Each structure stands twice: as structure tokens, then as C-alpha cells.
Amino acid sequence: MSTRAVLSRYADLPTLIGLMEGDEKHSAAAHTTLDVLWVLYDRVLAVSPETAEDPARDRFLLSKGHGPAAYYAVLAAKGFLDVPTLRTWAAFDSPLGHHPDRVLVPGVEIGSGSLGHGLPLALGTALGLRARDVRRADGAEPRVVVLVGDGELDEGSNHEAIAAAGRLGADNLTVVAVDNRSARHGWPGGIAARFAVEGWETREADGRDQDALHDALTRPHPRGPLAVVARVRVGT
Amino acid sequence: MRQAFAETVGAALDDDPRTALVLAVISGDMFRRSAARHPGRVIDVGIREQAMIGVAGGLALAGMRPVVHSYAPFLVERPFEQVKLDLGHQDVGAVLVGIGGSYDASTAGRTHHAPGDVALLDTLPGWTVHVPGHHEEARDLLRAAIARDDRVYVRLSATGNRTSMPASPRLTVLRTGSARSAGVVVAVGPMLDRVLDATAGLDVTVAYASTVRPFDRDGLSRLVGAAGSADVLVVEPYLRGTSAHEVAEALADRRHRQLGLGVGRDEELRSYGTPADHDRAHGLDTEGLAKAARDFFLV
């Protein structure tokens, strides 16, 4: 994999993102997710280009499908995507659109863009892996991690899934809610409270602090599914 | 048919560890035993139909074969974007099993009616649609659907025909008209008995379909080619004309006439009563069908 030797570091991500142009409208969405995505793929998830089809891989579902430049950049840095492919972004025959399509992009677990679909899909995936008793090589249950935005939490489908996941005890499920305060009417009491009342374990972290994110994502959570609220200010 | 559904899915849950059932409360009591035996594979999400379809999509992504069940309006119409995106766009399959159909829940009023379900699914590519006309057909079609991986809608009815037809993706001919016949009648699912009765005195070919998508275009083309006139009457238990585009495609190479009968599209019928009352109001009772057939075939 020649592409993995170059442009494979965190410091290379701006260069990789720079290869994609034309989605300025969603650039804030792309950049607020950058550190979360990097921590997940660099330090948390047990998945690689070699294991992308392994039934026992960890899953990452990008529900917040708009502004996927950071996502594509991380996938390229980790070798799921060839770097030159980034230059084709949004062209007719490119696999890379302004919203990702799982059928077109290696390593992408769901096609997303319309808000409120990733969390119910992630819940079903988590329940399915558990029902099949799928185990990673290290004996652990595969993790299913889904990234949502705070504005996306307005969608009722998410609230259906948050409640169902808590009651069904889907503790192999993790939600990362990137909170950049884009929800129209806000979330009184904070986003974490919405999850906590449904039986989720909740944690908050600075969405730019990679060590804090890593800690929040990896510390054991014996009780219920895990929600990590990653606070990010747009423009930082 | 609902009982046949419960038995078939219950057996599939016992026999095939890939099978999962996703419910939103409706019919939950029919699966109590299955839920006790397979707690991780009978998933009742509560009254959450969007999550029901999303969870099914996720189960399929994890390698399971989800069966999803509710009343048709809550299964197909309410979470339609989930059906479109969480199954179709993800390129995964599921077996959606609807009850209530057009107006089986006649006394429940319009909220519980879904005569548009098949037309709505027709806006999406890649769906197989079964409309069994007998509980044995429902069992056979469901069993086959669970064994596959594609997207299937099984539309169960509270009413059915006297006898079971073999489950086939093709049109099944029940009566063949003469070389000078007036045309071809296609009866879908539970409409068969009354179509046979209504056309008893007509020189027409009568064919039966329990699988309407994909539609047997070749079969219809052959039957029309052998008939005396290229006139086709389709009788469906959901919105009238739902399969009109299929008939048009099947007969694109010849001059033809067609009429679709089914649930009326022109107004929201605000009535209760029995399903038979609604059949009568939509001209789908034997008498209404006989009159429409005589008018259409010009006899």
C-alpha cells in the first residue's frame, strides 16, 4: 500500500482535505468532526483496510453524512481509499459524493446524508452482532460507533432509537454526538441528559482534545450503551 | 393468513439463526413463545416504526435476515423514508409483512387503511411484492422470502380465496378463452374467487398473480397474443391502476386497451362497516366487477 506510507499522519489531514473542493457550505461540519474521526480510526476502532469485510470488525457509522471531507481524508490516511481518488470528489463517476455511499466507498458502513438514520441502523447492527454472538479475535464483542450531530438529534427517529437502545441493553453501541450548537432550539440540560434518562452511560469531552476523546471512548462502561458528547465550537 | 405468518416466522426463528423478527408492538402476543426461546432475535422496539425499519436495516448489515411486521400504514407509509434509505439505499434486504391491507380494518377508519402501499413501494427499485390469496400461499411465499436476501413485501389479507394456488412468480392461467375471446383478465391475490365468478359467462382468459413485482410481463404478453383481443382487465385489491404501467410495458409492442380495477383513488372514503361494504363501495364485489368487465369487454 504505497498510499499508506505518505499522507498517513494526523498532520496530513489538512492536505488531504485540501484535495477536495467545492463543499464550502459543509466545511464546518467536516472540520468539527476531524479529531473525533482521527481518534476513532487511529486509536479506538479495530478495523483496517484488511479487515474491512471481516464480520467481526468494529463498525463506524457516519450518520451526519453532510460534510464528509474529514471522513474521506481519514479513510485515505488509513489506506481505505487511494489518495488520488480524493481529487475526483463529487464528479459524476467518483465514488466520493457530498454524502457518502456505502456501496461506492470501501470501508464506509452506511450511506448517509438524510439525518436521523445512522443511530437506528447502528442499533440494529449492534443487536445483530450480539444475536449472532460475533467475537473479535481478542474475544471482545465488536463495537458499533455512530457519529451524530446535535442538530441531527432533532429528528424523532433518533429519539426512538435512543429509548429503544437503552431498554434493550445494547451496550456494544456507542454514540458520539458532536455538539457544535447547531440544533435550532437547543437541548436544555445538555445533550447527555437526553441519553442518561434513557439508561445510557454518558460522558462529555472537548471535541478537539484527542486524549480526552480517547479516554471517554475507551474507559469501560459497564452499564448500558455509551454516549460521548464531543463539544466543538465552529471555527476552532 | 396472519396465523400462517406467525407459524412460519416462528418456525424460521427456530430453524435458521439468521432470522430475526422486528416488531412495533403489533402482533407481539403471537410471538411470545419465540421471544422466550430467541430473546436476541425477536426485537419489539415499542411503538417506534421509524426505529423498527432502521433496526431491521442494521440487522441486515450485521448479516441477519430481518422480518418486519406491522399494520401496512405503519409499516410502509409512516416510515417510508426508512424503507427507502435504511433498506434500499444501504443495499440490504428485509421481509416486510403487512396486515390490514386496503381496509381489512374497516371499522378502524382511514387511519388504519393503506390501499396505497403497493403503489408507494413501486416508487422504489428492487422490491418483490407478494399478494397471497390464501393462507397456504402466504406460508409458502413467506418461507421462500425468508430464505432469500432481497427486499420483499408480503401483503397479507384478512380475506382469501376458497382454494390455494401454487406459489409462482408467473401468471397462473385458470381459464383459457377461445381464439376469438374478448381479452385477458388478471386477478391479484384475494380478488381471484370473485373475478372468476364475475367473468363466468365471458369468453376471456383469466390469470392469477400472487407475485405482482416483478410483474410477469412476458406471461401477460403471451396470453394477450393468444387472445382474440388485446384488451386487459387487471383487478387488484389496492389502488386501482397500480399495475397499469406494468401492463403498458408488457404490451408496448401492440395496440391494446387496458382497465385497472381496485380501490378508488378519487376520494377518501370516510366510512366504517365491513370490508365487504368497502368492496361494494369501490365496485370490487362480484356484482361490481361483473358490470365493469361487461362494459370494458363490450359484451
Side-chain angles (χ1 to χ4, degrees):
Chain A
M1 279 253 175
S2 61
T3 55
R4 297 193 69 184
V6 294
L7 301 175
S8 60
R9 301 166 303 159
Y10 176 75
D12 296 322
L13 296 177
T15 303
L16 293 168
I17 290 173
L19 299 177
M20 295 169 275
E21 293 174 347
D23 191 27
E24 284 77 8
K25 182 169 85 77
H26 285 142
S27 64
H31 291 275
T32 55
T33 58
L34 189 64
D35 290 281
V36 171
L37 290 166
W38 181 255
V39 168
L40 282 167
Y41 276 92
D42 194 52
R43 300 167 65 182
V44 175
L45 297 172
V47 63
S48 68
E50 292 72 32
T51 62
E53 302 292 325
D54 183 348
R57 70 191 180 278
D58 285 348
R59 266 75 164 175
F60 173 72
L61 283 64
L62 182 73
S63 184
K64 198 167 97 97
H66 55 291
Y71 183 42
Y72 294 151
V74 170
L75 289 175
K78 290 295 175 185
F80 291 90
L81 267 175
D82 288 333
V83 170
T85 304
L86 297 177
R87 290 189 185 279
T88 69
W89 141 275
F92 180 77
D93 53 357
S94 173
L96 307 180
H98 286 193
H99 300 122
D101 185 334
R102 71 176 291 272
V103 174
L104 301 178
V105 191
V108 166
E109 299 284 0
I110 59 166
S112 58
S114 185
L115 299 177
H117 292 269
L119 181 40
L121 282 168
L123 172 59
T125 304
L127 294 173
L129 293 172
R130 175 159 288 186
R132 296 180 62 199
D133 196 23
V134 174
R135 295 279 159 177
R136 299 191 325 212
D138 62 6
E141 268 192 300
R143 288 185 75 168
V144 180
V145 179
V146 56
L147 190 154
V148 303
D150 67 310
E152 180 178 5
L153 284 178
D154 288 357
E155 297 284 3
S157 53
N158 282 326
H159 292 267
E160 292 187 4
I162 290 167
R167 307 297 197 294
L168 296 170
D171 49 12
N172 50 343
L173 174 65
T174 296
V175 169
V176 182
V178 172
D179 183 5
N180 57 17
R181 294 176 178 266
S182 62
R184 174 67 71 225
H185 299 292
W187 295 108
I191 288 172
R194 301 282 163 148
F195 286 87
V197 76
E198 298 292 357
W200 291 58
E201 173 124 356
T202 64
R203 293 165 190 169
E204 304 208 34
D206 178 342
R208 291 302 201 189
D209 183 336
Q210 294 188 12
D211 289 334
L213 287 167
H214 178 259
D215 178 65
L217 286 163
T218 54
R219 230 181 325 123
H221 58 102
R223 187 185 61 88
L226 174 64
V228 174
V229 179
R231 295 181 311 270
V232 179
R233 286 213 341 251
V234 176
T236 62
Chain B
M1 288 193 207
R2 193 178 185 179
Q3 190 59 42
F5 155 68
E7 289 167 10
T8 306
V9 174
L13 286 162
D14 288 343
D15 297 341
D16 184 351
R18 251 179 22 121
T19 311
L21 175 66
V22 192
L23 302 169
V25 176
I26 300 293
S27 301
D29 52 348
M30 302 181 88
F31 292 99
R32 222 169 262 145
R33 183 184 144 276
S34 291
R37 290 165 72 108
H38 313 288
R41 293 194 284 125
V42 178
I43 300 162
D44 187 338
V45 297
I47 306 169
R48 298 182 175 90
E49 287 88 5
Q50 296 181 75
M52 173 176 69
I53 302 292
V55 163
L59 287 164
L61 286 168
M64 307 282 286
R65 180 58 166 163
V67 178
V68 195
H69 168 73
S70 189
Y71 271 86
F74 317 134
L75 178 71
V76 175
E77 296 178 327
R78 186 178 189 120
F80 183 69
E81 194 190 56
Q82 276 74 19
V83 173
K84 182 179 88 168
L85 296 181
D86 298 354
L87 298 172
H89 184 52
Q90 307 307 330
D91 194 25
V92 294
V95 184
L96 306 190
V97 184
I99 52 167
S102 291
Y103 37 68
D104 284 347
S106 55
T107 58
R110 188 66 177 95
T111 56
H112 284 54
H113 299 176
D117 51 353
V118 177
L120 198 50
L121 280 176
D122 236 351
T123 64
L124 304 177
W127 280 86
T128 294
V129 178
H130 296 308
V131 187
H134 189 275
H135 61 87
E136 289 174 19
E137 296 170 31
R139 180 198 61 204
D140 294 346
L141 291 164
L142 267 167
R143 198 177 281 164
I146 293 169
R148 300 199 303 266
D149 288 313
D150 56 343
R151 292 183 285 281
V152 185
Y153 179 48
V154 184
R155 188 186 206 266
L156 302 181
S157 304
T159 54
N161 303 311
R162 290 179 289 266
T163 55
S164 171
M165 294 289 130
S168 166
R170 306 272 168 230
L171 290 170
T172 302
V173 177
L174 288 146
R175 188 188 296 151
T176 304
S178 75
R180 303 181 60 233
S181 64
V184 176
V185 182
V186 176
V188 172
M191 308 310 286
L192 178 60
D193 280 356
R194 63 190 93 166
V195 165
L196 286 169
D197 292 346
T199 59
L202 299 179
D203 181 8
V204 291
T205 293
V206 178
Y208 173 69
S210 57
T211 297
V212 292
R213 299 291 180 277
F215 190 83
D216 182 10
R217 295 178 186 174
D218 292 343
L220 181 63
S221 180
R222 271 198 301 278
L223 293 178
V224 170
S229 298
D231 292 353
V232 177
L233 171 64
V234 179
V235 184
E236 299 175 285
Y238 32 80
L239 284 185
R240 61 186 296 156
T242 294
S243 293
H245 67 102
E246 292 288 349
V247 174
E249 290 278 355
L251 305 180
D253 61 343
R254 71 181 89 220
R255 293 178 183 278
H256 65 276
R257 292 167 66 236
Q258 67 159 305
L259 175 67
L261 296 180
V263 178
R265 291 173 177 262
D266 297 338
E267 64 179 314
E268 184 178 314
L269 184 60
R270 293 179 186 271
S271 299
Y272 300 100
T274 64
D277 291 331
H278 287 248
D279 283 337
R280 206 170 302 118
H282 293 289
L284 292 175
D285 59 332
T286 304
E287 198 174 299
L289 291 174
K291 180 179 184 319
R294 282 195 301 272
D295 290 349
F296 175 68
F297 288 116
L298 309 171
V299 293

